Amino acid sequence: MTVSERVTFVVEMELESDAIFGSGYSIPGGDDINTTIDEQGYPYLKGSTLKGLLAESLHNLLAWTGGSEEDYAALMGEEGWSGIADERRLQLTDMTLISRPVQPEEAFSAHTFTALENGVVKQGSLRSASCVRAKTKFTGSVTCDKRDVGLLQDAFKGVRWLGSYRNRGFGKVRFTAGNPHPAATGKSLPETFCIHYRLETKLPLIVTDLGRSQEFGYETRGYLPGSAVRGMVMSSLASSQPEWFQEHKAALLEDVRFLDAVPVVDEGAALPSIRGFYEDKAETRFETVVKDGSFTPGFKRAKLGSFCRLEDDTVVYWNGKTGGSLRIMRGGKNEDSRPFQTRHLDAGQTLEGYILLKDPKLAPMIGKMFGQTVWLGADRYEGFGECAVSCLEQADSPEWMEKYGYHSGEKLGTDLYLLAVSPLTMLDEWGNPCGLDLKWLANQLGIENVEICFCATATAEFAGYNRTWKCSTPAVVMYDRGSIFHLNCSTAPDTERLLTLQQQGLGIRKAEGFGQILFLRRELMEGLEHKRAAQTPGQLTPQRQNIQNLRRAKYDWIMSKSKELHKDELSSSQLGTIQALCEKAMANGGSLEELNIYFGKNVERTPKMAKRFQAIQTLVDNVCKTPLSQTLNVCCSDDSVIDRLELLCMLFDYSRKGKKKGER
């Protein structure tokens, strides 16, 4: 069997004209066609868009040179793909700016377009677009099989146009492909029973949550399930180490447990947020219903995010950062293309996970599958799922077991708190999901019986995919992450039995990361009285936060003032004239002379006309004379007459577009 060699090469893209990477969104009071931008406001080209451009060029290249369609299918994928790692499938990253300007706005230029009808501008066809400036350079990378490098480099040379309005001269580009270098191998690990790893998301990561998804929108889980990491490792082993994989296949599939990888902040062991906490409306008093089954009347469920760590008597909580993108689902021969939205875990986050092994001899080979970069999740061949491996090391056990659980030799009481660290369910004697099998649990703990005193739970359906049979597995209802049970035992269980059970997990599909539990120390659980939100590294810097707040304040002001303009009964052409005079004043360094002359002439006309124009003149005067910080009620670092005139232009532009056809 031929073993593939994966290599990576850098691709650079230079715009030879202004270009529009359409995002599918418009901005109120701004552009009708907006460019795809990152959270800092800088433009980028999506990896999925890059793949579409490359696919078109590759298809043409193969047709012109007499190449094989099999090469196209091997590189780009084909219908019916089961998700197994393909040795020749290429993987692409987003194209991002090589050099970022100080302000994001410096990367853009504005253009307007109209449509013609019988040689005359069609009414209502005026559109404005935000374009990326010519000469801007972007960079990204492509990972593929070594044998396909030359073919892909030639295909990149054929990509000459991209984006919207190509027929008007926009989007001319030039691609340059660099030399390939082999993918880095994983870190050498010793034999160990526990592997600890950390991943940094370099691209958005999609882990589809089918239970919450709709027909044209796909939700994501806020963490990376162990089954996704397991799939990556098994596929990589099967393709790169086929003989070794076949020899150890049974042990890999049954005796290795891949736990969920969750977003983490700062240092400290992360848990799923514990359910069952309530608080007052001021969020100053905090208590759990699981302790004795009651809570203070009038309290509401506490907001605790999705993940937490416990610091003395305080729950420190946070959420994984998620986003979304609008994409196009290409139809078949008899189907139309249609837009759909995909939710994802954002880039720039740290995910931490563990792999537990019964046979420590498997650890070194598993570690080799974690190179400098791994690709995970859905659509990982469509510009998603690139993660950098920032940590790969042996560990005695998961940190949260050591920090929040019991230790060998500790004396236990009869009350226990069992936390579902991952989704779990057990099966009854007929093979049906039953939640917790208390009789089996008591037997494993070596006691006569155990009962649930109180609990706080949530349930969800979890399905899977069988790579061997190429079909979905039946969905199973399980207790979701963070579900907690207050158990009462007939006698105090043996600590070693409890730790063994905790290490092995409960229920079904444990190799995929399900069934992981933690027995929380009683004094720790019952001592929690406060909560605090964690400071996540993905939050905006104060400077970027001020820019975002200013932008939002402008949009809010425009929306509210636009309603007043409609009441003044000014026509679209009159608003357009005022906007043009404001733009002229901006070009003249902020001189309002021509604008005041225009208002003076119209105020001297009929009383009805004077009333209309006096209102708009008052608005313009107030905005031009009042600091933007007072107008918008937000901090403004840049504040000049030109900045105030720009705000007015945005208002007039939005108001004119907001008038219905047939209105003045």
Side-chain angles (χ1 to χ4, degrees):
M1 181 181 292
T2 302
V3 179
S4 66
E5 181 182 352
R6 303 286 285 179
V7 296
T8 300
F9 61 90
V10 174
V11 180
E12 291 188 1
M13 176 183 76
E14 181 178 2
L15 300 184
E16 296 184 344
S17 69
D18 287 1
I20 306 172
F21 313 152
S23 65
Y25 301 101
S26 60
I27 299 178
D31 301 308
D32 298 291
I33 306 169
N34 195 40
T35 299
T36 303
I37 58 175
D38 60 22
E39 63 178 8
Q40 281 80 39
Y42 293 96
Y44 73 98
L45 183 72
K46 295 179 182 178
S48 55
T49 303
L50 178 63
K51 182 184 178 184
L53 295 167
L54 182 61
E56 182 181 4
S57 178
L58 178 62
H59 188 273
N60 292 335
L61 178 63
L62 293 173
W64 295 334
T65 59
S68 171
E69 286 292 328
E70 293 181 359
D71 288 331
Y72 179 88
L75 289 165
M76 296 296 168
E78 57 186 338
E79 188 175 353
W81 178 64
S82 63
I84 300 174
D86 291 353
E87 60 181 17
R88 295 184 64 189
R89 284 288 291 273
L90 62 86
Q91 293 169 307
L92 312 97
T93 66
D94 296 336
M95 300 289 290
T96 57
L97 289 173
I98 293 178
S99 178
R100 289 190 171 193
V102 177
Q103 294 294 332
E105 291 77 10
E106 298 175 24
F108 300 96
S109 61
H111 290 268
T112 56
F113 307 91
T114 59
L116 297 180
E117 188 174 52
N118 299 324
V120 181
V121 175
K122 185 178 180 181
Q123 183 178 358
S125 66
L126 180 65
R127 293 290 182 270
S128 61
S130 174
C131 308
V132 186
R133 294 184 184 276
K135 305 301 181 183
T136 305
K137 295 182 179 180
F138 296 80
T139 185
S141 65
V142 176
T143 300
C144 64
D145 191 273
K146 185 177 181 179
R147 78 189 90 163
D148 297 315
V149 172
L151 179 61
L152 291 172
Q153 289 176 333
D154 289 340
F156 269 112
K157 295 176 182 178
V159 181
R160 299 297 298 153
W161 300 88
L162 58 77
S164 304
Y165 291 103
R166 304 181 202 183
N167 60 337
R168 301 193 184 193
F170 288 84
K172 188 176 182 181
V173 297
R174 178 167 55 88
F175 278 89
T176 304
N179 296 321
H181 56 84
T185 58
K187 180 181 177 181
S188 177
L189 279 177
E191 295 182 0
T192 179
F193 289 99
C194 179
I195 299 174
H196 168 239
Y197 63 89
R198 281 198 172 199
L199 307 175
E200 309 291 335
T201 55
K202 297 299 182 182
L203 292 175
L205 176 63
I206 300 175
V207 187
T208 306
D209 186 348
L210 295 177
R212 297 190 297 125
S213 298
Q214 304 295 325
E215 184 178 4
F216 299 117
Y218 298 92
E219 286 293 336
T220 188
R221 298 196 186 281
Y223 61 95
L224 181 63
S227 56
V229 182
R230 180 177 187 253
M232 181 276 294
V233 171
M234 297 303 175
S235 294
S236 299
L237 284 170
S239 60
S240 64
Q241 305 290 334
E243 295 181 0
W244 188 92
F245 177 74
Q246 288 299 324
E247 181 183 351
H248 299 86
K249 185 175 181 179
L252 287 167
L253 296 177
E254 297 175 8
D255 299 335
V256 182
R257 298 176 56 203
F258 293 82
L259 307 188
D260 299 337
V262 302
V264 294
V265 296
D266 302 325
E267 296 297 326
L271 292 173
S273 286
I274 305 171
R275 302 181 187 275
F277 281 95
Y278 288 77
E279 62 188 355
D280 61 0
K281 293 183 179 180
E283 300 185 12
T284 57
R285 298 174 59 195
F286 187 70
E287 60 186 39
T288 178
V289 71
V290 181
K291 180 179 179 181
D292 54 19
S294 64
F295 61 94
T296 303
F299 276 27
K300 59 184 180 67
R301 290 186 184 274
K303 298 176 182 178
L304 288 177
S306 299
F307 310 99
C308 73
R309 64 175 182 268
L310 309 181
E311 297 182 355
D312 298 325
D313 62 351
T314 302
V315 178
V316 182
Y317 66 93
W318 65 90
N319 284 303
K321 191 175 181 182
T322 60
S325 60
L326 190 65
R327 302 167 66 188
I328 301 296
M329 184 181 295
R330 304 297 179 186
K333 293 182 179 180
N334 300 319
E335 297 180 7
D336 295 330
S337 299
R338 55 191 182 187
F340 67 100
Q341 188 177 55
T342 300
R343 300 289 299 175
H344 54 247
L345 280 167
D346 280 344
Q349 299 185 85
T350 300
L351 305 177
E352 181 178 71
Y354 294 88
I355 303 172
L356 305 181
L357 307 92
K358 287 185 179 180
D359 184 357
K361 295 179 180 179
L362 300 176
M365 189 61 74
I366 291 176
K368 290 183 179 181
M369 300 304 103
F370 289 82
Q372 289 184 351
T373 299
V374 294
W375 296 77
L376 294 159
D379 291 352
R380 56 188 179 276
Y381 296 107
E382 310 292 337
F384 294 89
E386 182 191 22
C387 298
V389 181
S390 60
C391 175
L392 184 70
E393 60 185 5
Q394 69 176 117
D396 294 329
S397 62
E399 186 181 1
W400 37 265
M401 282 189 184
E402 294 293 327
K403 190 169 184 179
Y404 308 128
Y406 292 100
H407 300 134
S408 179
E410 284 190 60
K411 186 176 181 180
L412 303 179
T414 55
D415 285 306
L416 301 174
Y417 287 96
L418 187 154
L419 175 67
V421 180
S422 65
L424 71 87
T425 188
M426 302 176 71
L427 302 180
D428 60 21
E429 56 185 316
W430 295 282
N432 297 317
C434 64
L436 290 183
D437 185 339
L438 297 179
K439 183 177 179 181
W440 183 93
L441 186 60
N443 182 61
Q444 294 298 305
L445 292 174
I447 58 178
E448 185 175 347
N449 62 68
V450 61
E451 61 179 12
I452 299 174
C453 298
F454 311 103
C455 63
T457 65
T459 59
E461 284 191 346
F462 296 89
Y465 189 85
N466 188 302
R467 305 299 179 190
T468 302
W469 298 101
K470 297 183 179 180
C471 64
S472 298
T473 58
V476 180
V477 177
M478 300 188 184
Y479 286 120
D480 208 349
R481 309 174 82 253
S483 296
I484 187 164
F485 304 84
H486 182 173
L487 305 177
N488 181 258
C489 306
S490 55
T491 56
D494 178 69
T495 306
E496 300 307 318
R497 280 178 170 267
L498 180 142
L499 294 179
T500 299
L501 180 61
Q502 182 174 271
Q503 188 73 21
Q504 294 175 349
L506 289 178
I508 61 175
R509 297 169 58 179
K510 290 182 288 187
E512 300 173 45
F514 294 93
Q516 182 58 54
I517 61 171
L518 172 67
F519 286 97
L520 275 169
R521 295 201 307 274
R522 180 178 179 180
E523 70 277 8
L524 180 62
M525 177 64 193
E526 295 183 356
L528 295 173
E529 298 179 349
H530 306 284
K531 71 169 191 174
R532 173 170 57 85
Q535 183 72 21
T536 60
Q539 290 178 338
L540 298 177
T541 63
Q543 181 183 11
R544 293 304 310 163
Q545 186 66 57
N546 289 339
I547 293 174
Q548 189 178 81
N549 292 340
L550 177 59
R551 187 174 298 162
R552 184 180 295 113
K554 285 182 178 180
Y555 295 160
D556 291 341
W557 184 84
I558 288 168
M559 298 290 283
S560 62
K561 289 298 179 182
S562 178
K563 297 177 182 179
E564 297 180 16
L565 288 185
H566 288 177
K567 294 178 182 179
D568 293 337
E569 299 182 359
L570 290 176
S571 66
S572 295
S573 61
Q574 289 169 330
L575 287 176
T577 300
I578 298 172
Q579 180 181 344
L581 290 171
C582 288
E583 292 173 349
K584 191 172 183 179
M586 292 169 61
N588 293 332
S591 175
L592 304 176
E593 183 177 355
E594 290 191 42
L595 191 61
N596 290 330
I597 292 174
Y598 174 78
F599 283 135
K601 289 180 179 179
N602 284 280
V603 169
E604 293 175 358
R605 296 168 65 182
T606 64
K608 184 176 181 180
M609 187 66 68
K611 182 179 179 181
R612 294 177 185 173
F613 278 90
Q614 282 174 345
I616 194 74
Q617 183 181 21
T618 300
L619 173 65
V620 172
D621 288 342
N622 287 340
V623 172
C624 290
K625 294 177 181 179
T626 306
L628 279 179
S629 57
Q630 295 183 24
T631 300
L632 302 175
N633 294 319
V634 69
C635 178
C636 300
S637 57
D638 296 325
D639 187 4
S640 65
V641 174
I642 294 178
D643 294 313
R644 300 169 192 178
L645 287 168
E646 183 181 13
L647 177 63
L648 288 168
C649 289
M650 293 174 65
L651 169 64
F652 299 143
D653 187 60
Y654 176 80
S655 298
R656 289 189 299 111
K657 294 172 183 176
K659 285 183 176 292
K660 297 179 181 178
K661 187 175 181 179
E663 290 183 345
R664 288 171 51 84

